[in-house]
Amino acid sequence: MSEGKRTYYIGVGDGLITQDPECSPWNFKIEATDDEITQLREYFDNNYANEQENFYRAHVPYLQYHYDRENDAYDKTLLKVYGMIHRLGDETAKKHIESMGILKN
């Protein structure tokens, strides 16, 4: 483990960031500094706000998903989340994200 980094367990679906692998189900194990975790938390917070907007916008039947700015923002932030987890994650996390085929080289 690099100096200044600690082990965290990440749950992408619910925005979980914890150091306790037993507290809740998680998807990825990463090694991150406090600043990196702060950035990841901001990404999750941004997507939570976008999800709230998307909930209200979902009740507009004529608006298609791919024409909705809030959905675009959510998707872009989610790619940032996966990119960060790929960069900081263990080999299992890296391989899983690579298998998803969502990140550009």
Side-chain angles (χ1 to χ4, degrees), residues 19-52:
Q19 289 185 289
D20 181 2
E22 303 298 321
C23 79
S24 185
W26 51 272
N27 308 104
F28 302 104
K29 179 180 174 182
I30 67 170
E31 301 292 327
T33 64
D34 290 342
D35 289 342
E36 290 166 333
I37 288 300
T38 298
Q39 181 65 60
L40 187 58
R41 170 56 47 215
E42 287 176 10
Y43 290 154
F44 282 137
D45 290 347
N46 286 343
N47 267 3
Y48 178 76
N50 285 329
E51 283 177 342
Q52 298 303 310

Side-chain angles (χ1 to χ4, degrees), residues 3-87:
E3 188 173 321
K5 293 197 175 202
R6 292 182 279 207
T7 301
Y8 292 90
Y9 301 89
I10 309 302
V12 175
D14 59 358
L16 171 77
I17 300 174
T18 184
Q19 289 185 289
D20 181 2
E22 303 298 321
C23 79
S24 185
W26 51 272
N27 308 104
F28 302 104
K29 179 180 174 182
I30 67 170
E31 301 292 327
T33 64
D34 290 342
D35 289 342
E36 290 166 333
I37 288 300
T38 298
Q39 181 65 60
L40 187 58
R41 170 56 47 215
E42 287 176 10
Y43 290 154
F44 282 137
D45 290 347
N46 286 343
N47 267 3
Y48 178 76
N50 285 329
E51 283 177 342
Q52 298 303 310
E53 288 292 320
N54 287 342
F55 173 79
Y56 295 110
R57 302 274 299 184
H59 295 89
V60 180
Y62 59 85
L63 186 61
Q64 296 180 5
Y65 181 90
H66 56 282
Y67 292 123
D68 192 349
R69 285 189 325 260
E70 287 80 11
N71 286 330
D72 291 344
Y74 181 89
D75 292 346
K76 287 177 184 175
T77 303
L78 194 57
L79 287 177
K80 290 178 184 178
V81 166
Y82 281 116
M84 193 167 193
I85 292 171
H86 183 267
R87 183 170 50 87

Side-chain angles (χ1 to χ4, degrees), residues 88-104:
L88 302 172
D90 63 7
E91 281 304 308
T92 302
K94 290 179 192 306
K95 288 179 182 177
H96 179 80
I97 292 171
E98 288 167 7
S99 76
M100 294 169 69
I102 60 172
L103 299 181
K104 296 178 183 175

